[in-house]
């Protein structure tokens, strides 16, 4: 299980407007939900690909998500593709991300591994961000005693227009 925290900076105590944009159908193998936040419609998606799901089929699903939701989009999830390996799947995944104007925001190193067991170290939880929307995000990995995955924290430096509650009053003369 992946624990993720998305933190938006420069938000004071108030209400942030959001709405669900899309999500995976019940029959789909990949779990996915996308919400738009604020008036500028920053999209944040959570994604889970089961380890047993065919990677080539997943890349087709991911490509369709990139095409449908191109701009102002951050995708965070358990992709179950180990970025620490040099395999055809990893190369194809990185190429797909790049060709669709997204970038992997994780530090790709063993020190930034997101799943560590007695026998393996892997980086299977990823943060993707589109390159053309001036979204600045910082990814941090913290240890986690509740799960076999480390915690992925994503700090997004983005100005989002927020809504402060309006106070209604009547004037009595």
């Amino acid at each position: 299980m992946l624990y993720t925290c998305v933190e938006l900076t420069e938000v004071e105590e108030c209400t942030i407007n959001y709405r669900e944009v899309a999500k995976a159908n019940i029959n789909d193998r990949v779990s996915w939900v996308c919400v738009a936040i604020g008036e500028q419609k920053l999209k944040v998606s959570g994604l889970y690909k089961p380890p047993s799901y065919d990677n080539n089929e997943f890349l087709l699903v991911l490509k369709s998500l990139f095409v449908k939701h191109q701009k102002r989009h951050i995708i965070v999830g358990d992709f179950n593709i180990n970025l620490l390996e040099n395999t055809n799947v990893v190369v194809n995944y990185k190429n797909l991300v790049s060709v669709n104007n997204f970038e992997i925001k994780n530090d790709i190193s063993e020190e930034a591994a997101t799943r560590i067991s007695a026998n393996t170290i892997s980086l299977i939880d990823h943060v993707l961000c589109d390159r053309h929307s001036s979204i600045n995000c910082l990814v941090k990995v913290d240890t986690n005693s509740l799960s076999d995955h480390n915690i992925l924290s994503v700090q997004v430096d983005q100005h989002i227009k927020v809504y402060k509650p309006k106070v209604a009053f009547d004037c009595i003369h």
Side-chain angles (χ1 to χ4, degrees), residues 12-82:
E12 49 187 89
E13 202 172 309
C14 50
T15 303
I16 298 175
N17 205 17
Y18 73 93
R19 69 177 175 80
E20 184 177 288
V21 174
K23 65 181 174 182
N25 295 326
I26 293 172
N27 294 332
D28 290 343
R29 296 280 315 271
V30 175
S31 299
W32 174 72
V33 64
C34 178
V35 294
I37 301 172
E39 271 188 19
Q40 293 85 11
K41 306 296 187 241
L42 172 66
K43 288 181 240 156
V44 178
S45 292
L47 181 145
Y48 172 71
K49 180 193 82 72
S52 61
Y53 189 64
D54 181 75
N55 286 319
N56 293 320
E57 287 183 37
F58 171 68
L59 293 180
L60 293 174
V61 170
L62 189 59
K63 181 179 179 179
S64 71
L65 294 179
F66 287 148
V67 170
K68 289 179 187 173
H69 305 282
Q70 293 176 356
K71 302 216 173 171
R72 301 190 49 70
H73 196 184
I74 299 169
I75 304 171
V76 179
D78 183 349
F79 289 72
N80 277 303
I81 294 174
N82 186 2

Side-chain angles (χ1 to χ4, degrees), residues 63-129:
K63 181 179 179 179
S64 71
L65 294 179
F66 287 148
V67 170
K68 289 179 187 173
H69 305 282
Q70 293 176 356
K71 302 216 173 171
R72 301 190 49 70
H73 196 184
I74 299 169
I75 304 171
V76 179
D78 183 349
F79 289 72
N80 277 303
I81 294 174
N82 186 2
L83 294 177
L84 298 178
E85 295 177 341
N86 189 19
T87 63
N88 285 339
V89 170
V90 172
V91 170
N92 291 340
Y93 170 70
K94 287 179 175 180
N95 287 339
L96 177 69
V97 169
S98 180
V99 165
N100 285 281
N101 294 315
F102 277 74
E103 62 184 324
I104 299 168
K105 299 304 279 188
N106 300 63
D107 175 21
I108 301 176
S109 69
E110 286 189 5
E111 292 77 28
T114 57
R115 188 161 188 253
I116 301 172
S117 71
N119 302 324
T120 61
I121 295 176
S122 60
L123 179 56
I124 58 175
D125 307 305
H126 310 159
V127 177
L128 309 178
C129 186

